[in-house]
Each structure stands twice: as structure tokens, then as C-alpha cells.
Amino acid sequence: MNIKNAQLDVDNWIKTHGVRYFDELTNMAQLTEEVGEVARIIARRYGEQSEKESDKDKDLGEELADVVFVVLCLANQTGIDLQSAFDKKMDKKAKRDHDRHHNNDKLK
């Protein structure tokens, strides 16, 4: 599935199962909350913090999907074609950063 289709899927879900999009500020707060949940899993599972027993059943993939869902909501409600924006970003990064990381001694 490409990003454009994902945006359409989210929009259809909102129209079918939701009442309407939350306003942009509410979705921004929701995005922050979801990113925090991802950070908690990463810090405990892959970082140096201890993982609580209650956190061991948390699904990182599901939490990352929550982040993507809210990002797609924000793109839809602000009129952003995220596929186009992403494609432009990848092109920019490919040109700008082509040799940058290969020459980084910290990564060797």
C-alpha cells in the first residue's frame, strides 16, 4: 500500500467509523502521546531502562501504526499529499546526503 492509498483508507475510516476528524491541535496532542508510547517501549526493550512486567506485552508495531495513523489524519485534514511530500523528501535526502554518511567516521 502506498501513502496516498493509506490516506484514503484513513479518510474512509473516519467517515465510516468516526464522527469527524479531531481538530489539528487535538491530533497533535494525540501524536505526541503515541510517540511517547513508542519511546517507552524502545527505552525499556532496547535501551538501558528495565522493562516492567506490564510493558512486556506491548506491541511496538501496533504503537508505530498508531503514530502513522495520526500522521495520516493530520495530513488529510491539512490538505497535504503526503505521498508527494515524502517523494520530494527522499529525493532531497538522496541528493544532499549521498556521500555524507559514507564519510562519517562515527559510523565505521
Side-chain angles (χ1 to χ4, degrees):
M1 174 184 302
N2 65 29
I3 297 171
K4 188 176 285 292
N5 286 341
Q7 279 189 253
L8 289 172
D9 285 347
V10 167
D11 195 56
N12 287 333
W13 186 92
I14 296 289
K15 290 174 180 170
T16 304
H17 302 285
V19 175
R20 62 171 175 77
Y21 284 94
F22 293 130
D23 65 46
E24 294 85 353
L25 289 174
T26 300
N27 272 337
M28 187 62 231
Q30 208 172 351
L31 178 59
T32 303
E33 179 183 337
E34 297 299 349
V35 169
E37 291 177 19
V38 169
R40 180 183 181 105
I41 292 170
I42 296 289
R44 286 165 171 74
R45 197 163 295 161
Y46 304 101
E48 295 176 340
Q49 288 186 326
S50 299
E51 188 169 29
K52 295 179 180 178
E53 197 60 41
S54 60
D55 288 339
K56 290 184 178 180
D57 64 338
K58 302 280 184 191
D59 184 336
L60 179 58
E62 186 175 328
E63 298 305 334
L64 288 167
D66 285 341
V67 169
V68 171
F69 183 88
V70 179
V71 167
L72 293 171
C73 285
L74 284 164
N76 284 347
Q77 66 194 130
T78 57
I80 302 296
D81 176 345
L82 203 53
Q83 184 70 62
S84 176
F86 184 79
D87 291 345
K88 279 191 223 173
K89 179 55 71 176
M90 291 303 293
D91 186 54
K92 179 180 178 180
K93 289 179 78 54
K95 290 176 184 166
R96 181 190 67 194
D97 298 336
H98 179 70
D99 292 323
R100 180 174 151 211
H101 299 297
H102 293 285
N103 298 324
N104 182 347
D105 289 335
K106 295 178 188 176
L107 299 176
K108 292 181 180 183

